[in-house]
Amino acid sequence: MDISIREGEEFIRLGQAMKKAGLVGSGIEAKMLILDGAVTVNGETEQRRGRKLYPGDVVSFEDETFQIMK
């Protein structure tokens, strides 16, 4: 699955990308999963919901993986 950054934007934040991918229903849900260490970005555990994701970054949560695209 690929998640596209909005036209004119350089990045998308991790919590927003998780919502856009349909992995969570709210920012609070994303925050809890991220703080629990359940999310990786480019193979490393990420605990910042506001992490900026750029084209080429890969996010994984449980059995779901998506890549950020322009």
Side-chain angles (χ1 to χ4, degrees):
M1 171 189 327
D2 295 333
I3 299 298
S4 297
I5 297 173
R6 280 192 266 170
E7 189 68 34
E9 305 252 335
E10 293 182 33
F11 62 86
I12 186 170
R13 297 198 185 271
L14 178 56
Q16 293 171 328
M18 290 179 69
K19 287 193 302 187
K20 193 170 183 178
L23 300 179
V24 296
S26 69
I28 297 296
E29 187 179 352
K31 180 179 179 178
M32 299 309 295
L33 293 170
I34 293 165
L35 288 176
D36 284 345
V39 179
T40 64
V41 176
N42 300 328
E44 296 184 13
T45 301
E46 181 56 62
Q47 293 190 304
R48 296 173 291 164
R49 180 181 68 163
R51 160 98 185 245
K52 294 177 183 178
L53 302 174
Y54 295 91
D57 284 339
V58 176
V59 178
S60 297
F61 168 67
E62 294 183 345
D63 295 335
E64 298 289 331
T65 299
F66 61 89
Q67 184 169 10
I68 305 301
M69 305 297 286
K70 188 67 178 160

